[in-house]
Amino acid sequence: IKPLIRVENAQIVVNKEPHQFIKDSYSEFSLKMMSSAQFIPDLLSFSVAKKDEINEETMELLEPYLNVADFEPDSAKKIAAAAAGLCNFVKAMYQYHKASLIVAPKLAALQIKEGELSDAMDKLKEAQKTSAAAQAKVDELQRNFSATMAEKKRIEDTAKLTQNKMIAATN
């Protein structure tokens, strides 16, 4: 890894007009990377899979570029459409990182709450199982009670009938 070059303003000439821009380090660092066939797929992969790995140090290194007045897609488009696209990409990643600083703690809190909810749901399921087992026992006892009461009534009816027959036989 080569040491970082200090970000400096520089004047470039486009269509015979001077423009203020960032000092060019393209040939020293970027030419090989940007001319690779994997450059666009790597950018897309980064934007999907690795954008959450951007750290504050990287943001600090980007800020001088972002603070240059001409680091805007419209200004970059005057030089090259690809430069405008890269400008948009860098700004989007920067904005994403800034937003993630606000959202990340909320996502962490959400994960904690989801874990707590999952634990509570597990406890609820266990309580529902216990309740269902207790209700099944109550239902069984109720059936036994009803059967016993029906048997009691049958015996009482039989006893009453027998008593009535004994009274009738003695008269």
Side-chain angles (χ1 to χ4, degrees):
I1 297 177
K2 294 182 180 182
L4 295 175
I5 294 178
R6 184 178 171 175
V7 176
E8 296 177 6
N9 283 329
Q11 190 175 53
I12 60 171
V13 178
V14 177
N15 294 331
K16 297 181 182 180
E17 291 183 31
H19 293 277
Q20 289 297 316
F21 205 68
I22 300 168
K23 182 180 176 185
D24 182 14
S25 61
Y26 177 76
S27 58
E28 188 172 349
F29 292 102
S30 304
L31 183 60
K32 183 177 178 183
M33 177 181 65
M34 291 177 68
S35 61
S36 166
Q38 275 300 113
F39 181 65
I40 298 297
D42 286 348
L43 280 181
L44 293 174
S45 174
F46 178 87
S47 70
V48 171
K50 294 185 178 182
K51 64 184 171 208
D52 290 319
E53 296 175 17
I54 299 172
N55 59 33
E56 286 301 308
E57 183 179 2
T58 302
M59 290 298 104
E60 277 184 44
L61 293 171
L62 281 176
E63 281 181 6
Y65 292 97
L66 294 168
N67 291 332
V68 172
D70 284 340
F71 194 78
E72 292 294 328
D74 290 339
S75 297
K77 193 173 190 176
K78 293 175 186 174
I79 296 164
L86 283 174
C87 185
N88 274 327
F89 179 82
V90 170
K91 285 181 170 277
M93 291 297 106
Y94 183 80
Q95 291 301 322
Y96 176 85
H97 178 73
K98 283 178 63 177
S100 74
L101 293 177
I102 296 166
V103 173
K106 294 177 190 231
L107 288 175
L110 175 63
Q111 284 184 325
I112 290 168
K113 293 299 180 186
E114 284 176 341
E116 290 173 1
L117 175 62
S118 178
D119 292 345
M121 292 303 288
D122 291 343
K123 288 178 183 176
L124 175 62
K125 285 179 184 175
E126 196 59 41
Q128 286 172 333
K129 286 180 186 176
T130 303
S131 176
Q135 186 62 48
K137 184 68 174 172
V138 167
D139 292 345
E140 179 187 345
L141 292 171
Q142 185 64 43
R143 283 190 301 275
N144 289 342
F145 176 75
S146 295
T148 302
M149 291 306 288
E151 180 64 18
K152 177 186 169 204
K153 177 153 177 38
R154 186 190 65 75
I155 292 170
E156 286 175 346
D157 290 347
T158 302
K160 180 82 168 164
L161 188 58
T162 303
Q163 185 180 24
N164 287 343
K165 284 182 185 179
M166 285 175 52
I167 292 173
T170 56
N171 285 344

